[in-house]
Amino acid sequence: MKPASIIVFLALLGITAQASGDAIVRGPSEEIAFECSQPRHETMRLRIVNTAGGTITASNDAGASWRLLGSVVTPALKVNPKAYTAGMWAQDSAVAATAVNAIHIKIANNPESGRGIVFSIVPGAKTVGAAVASSSIRTDMPGGTGIFGGYGPLVNSPVHIETGGDLAPLKPDYVPADGDVIQIIRLEAEK
């Protein structure tokens, strides 16, 4: 089947489903929702000091000891209130998406659009527009490695603000500030 034929077929399938009264379901599938609800355990923490020159460290022992991974080049000082549509299905105060070129942190859903409100952590060589740049923590770490490779957090890993050694989830109106200390706790499913 040619790509154009596939597109037409999928469009007709969608029209048929709507005409027959079947609702098009959006959001995570039952299988993904089930997987996300399973018990998980901590395997790693990331600690990011959101200031120029701030450290990016990791801990494999629940924060008892830390090792240096990199540093912040430019801090995030704003949020992106119109994140990608799928961001709305991530948990609040959690990692919404990870890839070789970014880690997106969801704060909450925008009450006006329903889309996630996010800020991001990006590698040093990542080129982004001005609006996205102000809501991104730019690091000196290369894309595809470290936290932008297999060592990064997983989707729905909780994100906290560290204040005086205490951790608290991001509030729905959170906006990153210079000097904020952000901790991400990587949780993996029990085996």
Side-chain angles (χ1 to χ4, degrees):
M1 209 175 220
K2 293 182 181 179
S5 299
I6 293 171
I7 292 170
V8 170
F9 172 75
L10 292 174
L12 289 173
L13 183 62
I15 290 169
T16 304
Q18 287 179 343
S20 68
D22 295 338
I24 296 177
V25 179
R26 297 180 182 259
S29 67
E30 288 182 30
E31 294 82 8
I32 296 297
F34 173 78
E35 182 180 326
C36 289
S37 70
Q38 296 308 297
R40 301 182 294 165
H41 67 280
E42 178 177 335
T43 58
M44 188 260 305
R45 286 184 187 207
L46 287 177
R47 186 174 187 267
I48 302 159
V49 180
N50 187 43
T51 193
T55 57
I56 300 170
T57 54
S59 173
N60 289 9
D61 55 13
S65 63
W66 298 89
R67 70 182 178 92
L68 184 65
L69 299 177
S71 62
V72 172
V73 175
T74 308
L77 301 174
K78 294 184 179 181
V79 297
N80 178 355
K82 299 177 185 176
Y84 53 95
T85 304
M88 75 175 73
W89 294 303
Q91 295 173 4
D92 290 354
S93 189
V95 173
T98 64
V100 297
N101 63 348
I103 297 169
H104 302 293
I105 310 295
K106 179 184 173 190
I107 299 164
N109 281 335
N110 184 326
E112 294 173 13
S113 67
R115 290 178 177 241
I117 301 169
V118 304
F119 67 96
S120 303
I121 305 165
V122 298
K126 172 82 172 165
T127 303
V128 294
V132 175
S134 63
S135 64
S136 297
I137 298 173
R138 182 178 299 277
T139 72
D140 65 355
M141 304 170 74
T145 66
I147 64 172
F148 302 107
Y151 196 65
L154 302 175
V155 171
N156 285 329
S157 291
V159 179
H160 299 89
I161 291 297
E162 177 186 327
T163 307
D166 294 328
L167 300 180
L170 304 176
K171 294 181 180 178
D173 61 350
Y174 175 74
V175 175
D178 190 36
D180 281 355
V181 179
I182 299 159
Q183 276 201 40
I184 304 170
I185 300 175
R186 178 178 169 143
L187 298 176
E188 293 188 27
E190 299 291 339
K191 293 184 180 189

